[in-house]
Amino acid sequence: MIASQLLEPKSLLTTWEDIGGLTETIKELRETVILPLINRKLFNSRLLQPPKGVLLHGPPGCGKTLLARATASESGMQFINLQVSILTDKWYGESQKLAAAVFSLAVKIQPCIVFIDEIDCFLRTRTGFDHEATAMMKSQFLSLWDGIATRNDCMVVVMGATNRPSDLDSAILRRMPCVFRVNLPNQPQRESILRLMLRNESVSDDVNLETLAGRTDGFSGSDLYELCRTAAITRVREVCNSGNMPLPDGLRAMTKVDFDVALKKLK
Ligand code: ATP
């Protein structure tokens, strides 16, 4: 039951190929996380042990979850996606059991990444106002985490993502020695992301992706996805509204006008 709820099916696999514009971050993730994990013989020195905690932080929709998923699939690790709401919605006692079950499952199926999105909602700075149950759950989580961290033979990595790293407890930050900042994409990065998102689409010659990237300053990867989706759907709507039967075999290419309209809508 718990395994089927938490373990992500392989069909959701993400690879580096699915991520645009984050070449440097991917390179660093490979060097500091993946290589030490998959080459235990080469990295057997104490100084080169793979990290047991990795933090990805930055604005929403910029690829933190994609990076975590791809790290798992590129290193052949299982991926447990621990939704904070699952832990915090449970009754006291039940959530403690769940936390213990997560770590025990991770150890059983290792190598494994335990991914916690919005980790700040769960493991934020401890205050005097924390409910007793919350405080207990946090310290139990930390001791379970320490349990895997002290075992050199254990290939379980906790990966957290947050938009607000400053809200994180210093005890958590200490357990996450590898920290990656994932910023809003700059113009060349936006162009790479657009190129990736449109790689299998039919796009007319009047669409210049460099110019489009220049017009989307401040867009996240997720905003760019929404832009492409909005532009793409215009053609479907046209077909539906034409009332022509039978439906055509294919859709027309996406044009500059489709992107202009989509941009106007989104902005
Ligand atoms: P949040 O902080 O809101 O959880 P996030 O940083 O984890 O956001 P993701 O969930 O990884 O963001 O990205 C959301 C969607 O945006 C992805 O499914 C993908 O469609 C698109 N996306 C974001 N960044 C990129 C990127 N660098 N390359 C390709 N697609 C991207």
Side-chain angles (χ1 to χ4, degrees), residues 40-53:
R40 298 311 295 273
K41 271 198 187 140
L42 188 63
F43 288 77
N44 63 0
S45 137
R46 273 177 70 96
L47 294 174
L48 299 176
Q49 289 304 303
K52 292 286 162 60

Side-chain angles (χ1 to χ4, degrees), residues 34-153:
I34 298 187
L35 289 182
L37 274 166
I38 60 179
N39 290 296
R40 298 311 295 273
K41 271 198 187 140
L42 188 63
F43 288 77
N44 63 0
S45 137
R46 273 177 70 96
L47 294 174
L48 299 176
Q49 289 304 303
K52 292 286 162 60
V54 177
L55 181 66
L56 300 163
H57 70 96
C62 289
K64 298 183 292 297
T65 309
L66 286 182
L67 284 167
R69 286 209 171 99
T71 303
S73 62
E74 296 282 354
S75 56
M77 297 178 88
Q78 301 280 0
F79 191 77
I80 290 182
N81 194 350
L82 183 58
Q83 310 279 339
V84 169
S85 58
I86 299 187
L87 277 178
T88 49
D89 287 354
K90 296 266 176 201
W91 290 103
Y92 171 60
E94 221 185 310
S95 60
Q96 290 195 321
K97 269 191 223 149
L98 181 67
V102 167
F103 279 96
S104 121
L105 173 66
V107 170
K108 202 159 147 197
I109 60 172
Q110 63 175 296
C112 178
I113 287 179
V114 177
F115 178 65
I116 312 174
D117 200 5
E118 297 182 21
I119 191 169
D120 53 287
C121 297
F122 167 49
L123 296 172
R124 66 177 161 267
T125 308
R126 282 175 273 199
T127 68
F129 303 110
D130 267 356
H131 192 275
E132 190 193 343
T134 316
M136 290 275 285
M137 189 179 54
K138 276 193 219 170
S139 54
Q140 190 224 10
F141 191 91
L142 294 184
S143 73
L144 286 163
W145 191 350
D146 290 341
I148 56 153
T150 47
R151 285 175 49 186
N152 276 348
D153 61 330

Side-chain angles (χ1 to χ4, degrees), residues 18-20 22 59-66 117 163 193 196-197 221-222 225:
D18 301 309
I19 305 177
L22 291 173
C62 289
K64 298 183 292 297
T65 309
L66 286 182
D117 200 5
N163 308 324
I193 296 173
L196 182 77
M197 287 173 177
S222 148
Y225 177 78

